[in-house]
Amino acid sequence: MKFQIHALRQDGQKVLLHYDNQLSTLTWQDGTPVVPVQPGSFRDATVVSVNQPGRKGQVRVLKISLGLSCNYECSYCNQRFVPDSDASNPDDIEPFISQLTDALLEPPERIEFWGGEPLVYWKTLQPLAERLRGLYPDTQFSVITNGSLLDADKNEWFDRMGFSVGLSHDGPGQSTRGPDPLSDPEKFADIMDLYARLHSQGRISINAMVHAGNQSRAQIQAWLQQRFGQDVNIGEGAFIDPYDEGGLAATLQTQQDHVRFRALAYKELRQGLASRMSVAQQRIMDFVQSIRTARPASSLGQKCGMDKPNNLAVDLHGNVLTCQNVSAAATAPNGQPHHIGHLSNLQAVKMRSATHWSHRPDCPSCPVLQLCKGSCMFLQGHLWDAGCDAAYSDNVPFLAAAIEYLTGCIPYYIGGDFRDDRKDIFGQVHGVPEQSARRVIPILAYDRTVAA
Ligand code: SF4
Ligand code: SF4
C-alpha cells in the first residue's frame, strides 16, 4: 500500500514524501530514496491462522508458565480473566525436565520464568531454575516480577543464578496496578538491593505500561529516574492492549483522546524526555532499518513473536500454550484452545488460536504496519478493535519521529487508501507540533552521527 506523507521542513515549507509499507520504500516527491538503501535478505514469515496452524520446533526462547496466581490485581492485566489450570508444584519438575530434554535438540538461548507473579511460586521456581541452570549453563534466564516478594536471600540467588529481572512498575500510574512496593520502606530496601546488584551489569529494567491514566512517558521516566537514578533502563513502555472490560476502560476513548495522546507522545520523543524507554529506541530504529534494508512486509511476523516456531510457551505439565499469558484451560476468542499441543510431541503442535496480521482487515493497508506488526495475535471483536486503535495511536508518533530522523521533516498528515479517521496525525486541534530548533531528534542524535 502506498501512502503520501505530508510533512513540514524546518523552514516551514510543505514537503510530500512517498511511503510504501509493503516494500519499505520512503522517497522524496521526485522518487529519490530519502536514504541510501542496501536491501537485506529476508525470509517470508509464517502466516498463522485457524486454517494454517502454527508449528513449533528448534526452540530458541522457552517461556515457562508457573501459573497465573498473583498477589496484585492490575485492572488492565492480560491474565485477569484467564481460567488457571492446575498450579505447578515441585513434584512436577522432574517429569517436566525429562520431557524438555527429550524435546530440545540444543540448549535454548533464553528461558523466561512467568507467572502471574512468579515469586508466588517460589517453592517451585527455585529448584526448577537450579535444575535448568545445571543443564544449560550458558542460557540467559529472565523473570518479570512486581518486586513485592523480594528479600535479601532471593536477591542473592537471582544474582548468582545469572537472572535478568524486569520489575513491573508504572511510575506515577502505579495505583492502577495496585499497591506500590516502593512506598513500603522494607520492600523498597529489598528492591533497591536487587537493583544495586544487577544494574551495573545491565540485568535489570523497570517495566512500565502506558494507558489512558498513565499517558506521559516523560512523567513515567522522570518519576522512575527520581527513585532509580538518571540512567534507569525502562522496559516495555508501549500502550496496553485491552483483554477485558478493565483493559478497555484503560484505553483511549474518543478521537480527541487519540490525537491528544499522539501529539503528547511525539512532543516528548522530540524533547528527549522518553530517552530511557527502550520502546522508543527500538521502534524508531526498527523502522529506520526497515527503510535502509527495504524490508518487505511479507517477512513480518507478529509483534510478540509467539507465532514463530522457535518461541515456545509451556506449563510445568508439558502443555504447549499460545503464549505465556494464557493457560491450558483457556479458549481463545476465535473459539480455538490455547492448549495447542504437548512437549512430548512438539511436531504435533498446532496453533489455531492466532491470526496473522495479513488476515486482519486493516493491517495490510496500515501505515504503521512495520512498527506495530499486528498487535495481539489472538484478540478478536471489540477488544481487537480497541487494541488496534490504541496500537495505531501508539505507533504513529514513532513513525513520525523515524521519518523526521531520516528526512528532517515533520509528518502531519498521511494520505492513502486507509481509514480516514487516522490520516490527520495530530488532529486539527493540535495541528503540526511546534518545531524545535533542534533538527535531530535528541534521543537519536548519537546514532545519526555514527550512521552518517
Ligand atoms: S495499528 Fe491496527 S491496523 Fe495498524 S498494523 Fe496495528 S493492528 Fe494492524
Ligand atoms: S499473543 Fe502475544 S501479544 Fe497476545 S497476550 Fe500473548 S504474548 Fe501478548
Side-chain angles (χ1 to χ4, degrees):
M1 171 72 62
K2 291 182 170 56
F3 303 94
Q4 302 81 46
I5 312 261
H6 299 252
L8 273 191
R9 264 190 350 212
Q10 288 294 307
D11 59 8
Q13 289 296 306
K14 290 186 174 167
V15 174
L16 197 62
L17 302 161
H18 294 282
Y19 173 56
D20 186 324
N21 71 346
Q22 297 295 319
L23 302 176
S24 289
T25 53
L26 182 65
T27 61
W28 301 105
Q29 194 162 3
D30 66 3
T32 318
V34 301
V35 284
V37 176
Q38 272 199 325
S41 78
F42 297 96
R43 272 213 223 136
D44 282 355
T46 315
V47 174
V48 177
S49 72
V50 67
N51 298 320
Q52 204 172 329
R55 305 283 187 165
K56 297 292 172 184
Q58 274 237 304
V59 178
R60 297 216 178 95
V61 177
L62 176 68
K63 303 188 180 203
I64 302 175
S65 171
L66 299 164
L68 299 181
S69 295
C70 184
N71 56 338
Y72 279 9
E73 286 187 17
C74 304
S75 63
Y76 59 75
C77 177
N78 51 12
Q79 303 172 339
R80 258 198 337 164
F81 290 109
V82 179
D84 208 350
S85 43
D86 294 344
S88 323
N89 68 66
D91 293 341
D92 299 325
I93 295 175
E94 280 315 313
F96 172 76
I97 294 283
S98 137
Q99 287 166 7
L100 184 72
T101 47
D102 283 350
L104 301 193
L105 302 174
E106 290 173 16
E109 288 165 17
R110 192 166 81 237
I111 299 179
E112 301 174 5
F113 299 83
W114 285 87
E117 167 50 49
L119 272 67
V120 164
Y121 298 96
W122 183 252
K123 286 193 177 137
T124 304
L125 169 63
Q126 189 179 29
L128 172 66
E130 287 176 3
R131 187 78 170 81
L132 288 166
R133 181 50 87 213
L135 286 169
Y136 306 122
D138 299 324
T139 294
Q140 299 166 29
F141 280 9
S142 73
V143 71
I144 294 178
T145 171
N146 61 36
S148 63
L149 300 173
L150 292 170
D151 60 38
D153 290 343
K154 292 188 178 89
N155 293 348
E156 188 278 327
W157 181 84
F158 277 125
D159 189 3
R160 180 161 44 85
M161 297 294 291
F163 268 82
S164 293
V165 177
L167 193 85
S168 303
H169 197 291
D170 283 353
Q174 176 65 14
S175 60
T176 314
R177 283 186 178 269
D180 181 358
L182 297 178
S183 62
D184 174 325
E186 249 179 64
K187 291 186 170 124
F188 179 76
D190 288 331
I191 288 171
M192 294 317 286
D193 172 57
L194 182 66
Y195 192 79
R197 282 177 177 276
L198 302 185
H199 176 61
S200 61
Q201 304 160 55
R203 288 203 278 139
I204 191 162
S205 63
I206 313 300
N207 294 356
M209 297 308 296
V210 172
H211 55 80
N214 201 33
Q215 296 191 24
S216 168
R217 290 192 173 92
Q219 284 178 18
I220 295 171
Q221 175 166 312
W223 198 100
L224 293 174
Q225 281 179 319
Q226 231 176 31
R227 272 80 179 172
F228 294 96
Q230 289 301 306
D231 59 351
V232 62
N233 293 317
I234 306 172
E236 300 283 358
F239 208 101
I240 60 153
D241 283 323
Y243 289 88
D244 62 23
E245 298 309 311
L248 207 53
T251 57
L252 302 165
Q253 306 294 327
T254 66
Q255 177 68 7
Q256 218 192 11
D257 289 347
H258 279 275
V259 290
R260 201 181 290 131
F261 172 74
R262 294 175 202 161
L264 175 72
Y266 186 54
K267 185 172 140 205
E268 292 178 347
L269 286 173
R270 296 193 84 237
Q271 292 176 342
L273 299 176
S275 55
R276 301 304 308 167
M277 301 195 88
S278 57
V279 69
Q281 291 276 359
Q282 277 165 9
R283 298 247 174 117
I284 293 171
M285 290 319 293
D286 184 50
F287 182 82
V288 167
Q289 273 309 99
S290 75
I291 298 297
R292 285 179 176 155
T293 58
R295 180 176 69 199
S298 57
S299 68
L300 295 179
Q302 291 299 123
K303 70 165 178 178
C304 64
M306 289 311 292
D307 54 335
K308 288 189 183 156
N310 35 33
N311 293 346
L312 183 74
V314 285
D315 66 18
L316 274 195
H317 305 293
N319 299 313
V320 179
L321 311 168
T322 304
C323 74
Q324 70 283 353
N325 290 320
V326 297
S327 76
T331 303
N334 69 351
Q336 297 294 323
H338 276 310
H339 180 194
I340 58 175
H342 201 269
L343 198 50
S344 56
N345 190 3
L346 269 192
Q347 293 79 4
V349 166
K350 286 196 170 131
M351 178 162 62
R352 294 192 170 93
S353 47
T355 303
H356 186 255
W357 61 262
S358 59
H359 290 248
R360 304 279 193 182
D362 287 330
C363 297
S365 59
C366 178
V368 303
L369 170 65
Q370 291 275 346
L371 299 101
C372 173
K373 305 182 176 90
S375 193
C376 175
M377 63 188 188
F378 69 67
L379 279 179
Q380 300 283 345
H382 70 298
L383 294 175
W384 159 260
D385 293 341
C388 168
D389 285 344
Y392 185 80
S393 289
D394 199 29
N395 281 294
V396 79
F398 296 128
L399 174 74
I403 290 177
E404 184 185 358
Y405 172 72
L406 288 166
T407 65
C409 304
I410 300 176
Y412 59 90
Y413 186 89
I414 305 174
D417 191 9
F418 75 113
R419 279 174 50 173
D420 283 339
D421 60 325
R422 294 184 169 180
K423 293 180 175 171
D424 192 355
I425 304 175
F426 303 110
Q428 296 295 324
V429 183
H430 301 277
V432 179
E434 206 180 296
Q435 289 190 52
S436 110
R438 302 166 83 162
R439 181 161 181 271
V440 178
I441 301 163
I443 57 163
L444 297 173
Y446 174 72
D447 181 78
R448 189 182 173 94
T449 317
V450 171

